[in-house]
Amino acid sequence: MDQKITFIVEEKETTIEATELDRSILDLAIIHQVNPPYSCLEGICSTCEAKVMQGSVRTLPGFETEDHPLRVKTCQSFPLTFPLKISFDR
């Protein structure tokens, strides 16, 4: 099954094959050494906030970013459809 996620960090694209779908998007980026920005891992600081460029994600209740519907807290969001493209660049 083709479950590709492309991460953009500092204008560099890295594509991975997602096999652990019970992990958050941020966890997957860290596991695959993408070096995304993050701090608290609890959805409080918003350091890991990123833009969904392609595909869709499931964000845990209470962690949605209502002001910017395409931006998500990646530590509280999980892949829903593929291919998925996530940009950490602001």
Side-chain angles (χ1 to χ4, degrees), residues 5-6 22 29 41 69 71 86 88:
I5 302 176
T6 299
D22 59 334
L41 300 173
R71 295 196 69 81
I86 303 289
F88 287 94

Side-chain angles (χ1 to χ4, degrees), residues 9 26 35-51 65 71-75 87-90:
V9 178
L26 180 60
N35 297 320
Y38 69 96
S39 183
C40 74
L41 300 173
E42 297 176 4
I44 298 168
C45 73
S46 297
T47 302
C48 70
E49 194 174 288
K51 183 176 183 180
T65 52
R71 295 196 69 81
V72 296
K73 294 180 180 181
T74 58
C75 67
S87 176
F88 287 94
D89 292 352
R90 301 268 170 175

Side-chain angles (χ1 to χ4, degrees), residues 23-67:
R23 307 294 293 253
S24 72
I25 293 168
L26 180 60
D27 284 345
L28 292 168
I30 293 169
I31 289 167
H32 290 275
Q33 301 175 352
V34 175
N35 297 320
Y38 69 96
S39 183
C40 74
L41 300 173
E42 297 176 4
I44 298 168
C45 73
S46 297
T47 302
C48 70
E49 194 174 288
K51 183 176 183 180
V52 178
M53 308 289 289
Q54 181 181 10
S56 59
V57 302
R58 176 181 60 87
T59 300
L60 295 178
F63 293 99
E64 300 89 354
T65 52
E66 295 173 12
D67 295 343

